């Protein structure tokens, strides 16, 4: 133990510290060397004995100020270039380090920005086709219903494929997934543009969407890898701009490209965007997943000298290995869905999914309402009307993430939650305070506001202002929910986000399909009123349940997952 401490003091970190996926160590050295996390195992004494929240509150508050930046004060332990992990890792301009928390903020924000740009690719691919659907139908000789499958199945792929990407990323690493998935995205997007019939287009659109969707889950895992809990809310807010900017900017880009060059130009744009992301990942995103501690090597006793294995035994061994490999590839990723058995995860995912589904219904409403009388705007103008929501997302990212981080600090200080070193202890449910109550009313109210102003043909500025507040309120929900999932399951951060992505994209796919028929049946006003009331009730009930039961549910989940 003394040798380990001495090695850490000399070199900044020890090899054992790299396994952030393991349970929180009970030694004093590991408590000092580990940055603040948001799980209950951090209630530890210097001897490694768990204490409850009340006992932890007795730690002196003033110690947190002197200890909070201990992780930052250590020099970075840079991995030698030839020992870096991931495909073509020697080409990265940003070095891999032993502990990603040690990166300076400049590098952290650089990685966050590139991951956000990558996360924009998949949602952009779904929305950029909207203005091109009529031309596509004529060119390929397919009915509008069949052509709509190019969007619907693309979104379905976005919900399913990340289950596998996230599972593979927890063992193969983040960088390997980024490199391989965007290479496949480039190939499939290129083949989509070369499609000669609607069947070929649908197949390769589905595959390209599944490839680009890797960042939807793995990207949030990267953010959790490099940012501490007290800073993660703001970082997650900026990251989430990527997935949200795609469906808002894509209709504008798609409309302009379709009018100027035809529908295939939208696919060439997606191919070029995927290539740019691939270059950024290749040179600027190192491996951030913590190294796993090697498990014990099974010792097999063999007689001295030559030994012969029977053919039957050899077949049995190889069959068992093949079965394990097939299970890991095809069955284990589906285990993510079983996390819905935990109430804290299920409620958080449901709340985010309702909000995300509302977003896609609103997008269809904008397209439907402003293309008809009394507005009758062109495709380009309609695309520009998506910008108010974008401004709301930007405002929430700039202000909301920082606001949520301050709320967490205030809640921890008020509860006097300190570990044995005097560091503040943050809990996931701290993110559901006044920010959550405000957003739970703000964006449903904005939906109702937008619906009735467009129904009565009020000047376009009125629904646009409503859409700005919808963007602001919904962004607060997305950021808080995604960050909470990484903290509810710190050892399975990508899996938690993949589950969220799976459910929310099913909701968004459903909203995209039933939106127009519901508009025709109910009218914009009553549809948005119904959706707003469902969103308001869902949000407030979810927040109440999380605030009341989160600690109990979290402890049960930690015990079940051995976190």
């Amino acid at each position: 133990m003394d040798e380990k401490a001495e090695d850490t003091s000399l070199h900044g970190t020890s090899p054992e510290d790299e396994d952030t996926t393991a349970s929180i160590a009970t030694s004093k050295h590991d408590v000092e060397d580990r940055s603040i996390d948001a799980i209950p195992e951090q209630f530890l004494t210097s001897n490694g004995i768990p204490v409850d929240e009340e006992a932890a509150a007795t730690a002196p508050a003033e110690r947190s100020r002197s200890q909070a930046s201990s992780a930052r004060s250590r020099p970075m332990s840079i991995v030698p270039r030839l020992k870096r992990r991931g495909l073509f890792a020697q080409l990265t301009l940003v070095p891999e380090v032993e502990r990603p928390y040690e990166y300076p903020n400049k590098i952290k924000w650089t990685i966050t920005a590139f991951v956000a740009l990558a996360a924009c690719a998949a949602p952009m691919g779904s929305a950029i086709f909207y203005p091109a659907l009529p031309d596509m139908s004529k060119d390929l000789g397919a009915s509008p219903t069949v052509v709509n499958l190019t969007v619907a199945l693309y979104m379905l792929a976005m919900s399913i494929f990340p289950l596998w990407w996230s599972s593979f990323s927890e063992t193969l690493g983040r960088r390997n997934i980024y490199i391989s998935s965007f290479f496949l995205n480039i190939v499939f997007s290129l083949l989509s543009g070369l499609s000669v019939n609607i069947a070929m287009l649908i197949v390769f659109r589905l595959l390209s969407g599944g490839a680009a969707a890797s960042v939807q889950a793995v990207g949030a895992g990267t953010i959790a890898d490099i940012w501490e809990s007290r800073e993660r809310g703001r970082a997650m807010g900026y990251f989430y701009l990527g997935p949200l900017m795609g469906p808002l900017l894509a209709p504008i880009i798609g409309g302009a490209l379709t009018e100027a060059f035809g529908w295939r130009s939208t696919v060439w744009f997606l191919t070029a965007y995927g290539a740019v992301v691939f270059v950024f990942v290749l040179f600027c995103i190192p491996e951030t997943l913590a190294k796993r501690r090697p498990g014990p090597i099974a010792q097999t006793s063999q007689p001295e000298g030559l030994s012969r294995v029977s053919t039957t035994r050899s077949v049995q061994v190889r069959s068992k290995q093949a079965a394990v490999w097939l299970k890991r590839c095809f069955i284990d990723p589906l285990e993510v869905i079983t996390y819905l058995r935990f109430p804290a995860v299920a409620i958080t995912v449901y709340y985010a999914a309702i909000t995300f589904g509302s977003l896609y219904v609103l997008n269809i409403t904008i397209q439907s309402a402003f293309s008809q009388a009394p507005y009758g705007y062109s495709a380009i103008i309609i695309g520009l009307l998506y910008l108010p929501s974008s401004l709301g997302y930007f405002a929430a990212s700039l202000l909301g993430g920082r606001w949520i981080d301050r709320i967490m600090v205030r809640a921890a200080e008020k509860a006097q939650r300190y570990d044995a070193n005097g560091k503040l202890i943050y809990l996931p449910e701290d993110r559901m305070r006044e920010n959550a109550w405000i957003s739970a009313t703000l964006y449903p109210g904005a939906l109702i506001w937008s619906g009735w102003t467009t129904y009565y043909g009020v000047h376009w500025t009125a629904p646009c202002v409503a859409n700005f507040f919808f963007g602001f309120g919904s962004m607060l929900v997305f950021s808080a929910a995604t960050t909470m999932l990484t903290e509810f399951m710190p050892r399975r951060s990508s899996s938690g986000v993949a589950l969220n992505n799976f459910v929310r994209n099913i909701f968004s796919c459903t909203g995209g399909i039933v939106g127009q028929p519901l508009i025709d049946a109910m009218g914009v006003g009553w549809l948005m009123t119904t959706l707003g009331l469902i969103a308001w009730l869902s949000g407030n009930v979810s927040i109440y349940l999380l605030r009341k039961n989160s600690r109990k549910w979290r402890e049960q989940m930690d015990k079940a997952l051995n976190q």
Side-chain angles (χ1 to χ4, degrees), residues 141-199:
S143 66
T145 302
V146 174
V147 170
N148 285 337
L149 292 177
T150 62
V151 176
L153 293 181
Y154 183 98
M155 295 171 63
L156 186 63
M158 286 175 56
S159 70
I160 297 175
F161 277 68
L163 297 180
W164 276 264
W165 291 128
S166 66
S167 178
F168 294 155
S169 76
E170 301 291 353
T171 55
L172 302 178
R174 320 292 194 198
R175 179 178 172 85
N176 286 335
I177 299 303
Y178 291 143
I179 294 288
S180 58
S181 64
F182 271 94
F183 176 78
L184 292 174
N185 173 252
I186 295 170
V187 173
F188 294 141
S189 296
L190 184 63
L191 292 173
S192 297
L194 298 175
S195 298
V196 296
N197 54 55
I198 190 64

Side-chain angles (χ1 to χ4, degrees), residues 229-250:
S229 294
R230 60 190 175 89
E231 302 170 311
R232 196 174 296 158
R234 183 159 59 110
M236 198 68 74
Y238 284 111
F239 161 72
Y240 231 96
L241 278 176
L244 293 174
M245 287 300 99
L248 296 172
L249 297 179

Side-chain angles (χ1 to χ4, degrees), residues 17 125 144 201 204 224 226 238 250 285 292 345 419 422 452 488 523 550:
D17 291 334
L201 179 62
F204 286 113
I226 63 177
Y238 284 111
I285 300 184
R292 295 180 180 271
V345 174
D419 64 9
W452 287 110
F488 277 135
S550 181

Side-chain angles (χ1 to χ4, degrees), residues 138-334:
K138 295 178 182 178
D139 185 40
L140 298 177
S143 66
T145 302
V146 174
V147 170
N148 285 337
L149 292 177
T150 62
V151 176
L153 293 181
Y154 183 98
M155 295 171 63
L156 186 63
M158 286 175 56
S159 70
I160 297 175
F161 277 68
L163 297 180
W164 276 264
W165 291 128
S166 66
S167 178
F168 294 155
S169 76
E170 301 291 353
T171 55
L172 302 178
R174 320 292 194 198
R175 179 178 172 85
N176 286 335
I177 299 303
Y178 291 143
I179 294 288
S180 58
S181 64
F182 271 94
F183 176 78
L184 292 174
N185 173 252
I186 295 170
V187 173
F188 294 141
S189 296
L190 184 63
L191 292 173
S192 297
L194 298 175
S195 298
V196 296
N197 54 55
I198 190 64
M200 180 178 177
L201 179 62
I202 290 175
V203 169
F204 286 113
R205 279 277 296 168
L206 185 149
L207 294 174
S208 65
S214 63
V215 196
Q216 302 297 299
V218 183
T222 299
I223 303 302
D225 291 340
I226 63 177
W227 290 99
E228 300 179 39
S229 294
R230 60 190 175 89
E231 302 170 311
R232 196 174 296 158
R234 183 159 59 110
M236 198 68 74
Y238 284 111
F239 161 72
Y240 231 96
L241 278 176
L244 293 174
M245 287 300 99
L248 296 172
L249 297 179
I252 304 173
I253 299 172
L257 290 175
T258 301
E259 289 190 8
F261 307 106
W263 72 268
R264 293 183 190 271
S265 62
T266 60
V267 186
W268 305 137
F269 175 84
L270 294 176
T271 305
Y273 190 88
V276 171
V277 170
F278 180 82
V279 172
F280 282 150
V281 170
L282 184 65
F283 292 105
C284 301
I285 300 184
E287 180 57 63
T288 59
L289 183 67
K291 294 181 180 179
R292 295 180 180 271
R293 184 176 303 162
I297 301 176
Q299 300 292 334
T300 58
S301 59
Q302 293 184 351
E304 295 183 359
L306 297 176
S307 62
R308 177 175 297 176
V309 179
S310 65
T311 303
T312 303
R313 178 58 179 168
S314 177
V315 171
Q316 290 176 347
V317 171
R318 292 183 179 275
S319 299
K320 185 176 181 180
Q321 292 175 345
V324 171
W325 183 84
L326 290 173
K327 178 178 180 295
R328 181 177 299 173
C329 290
F330 298 102
I331 304 300
D332 288 351
L334 296 176

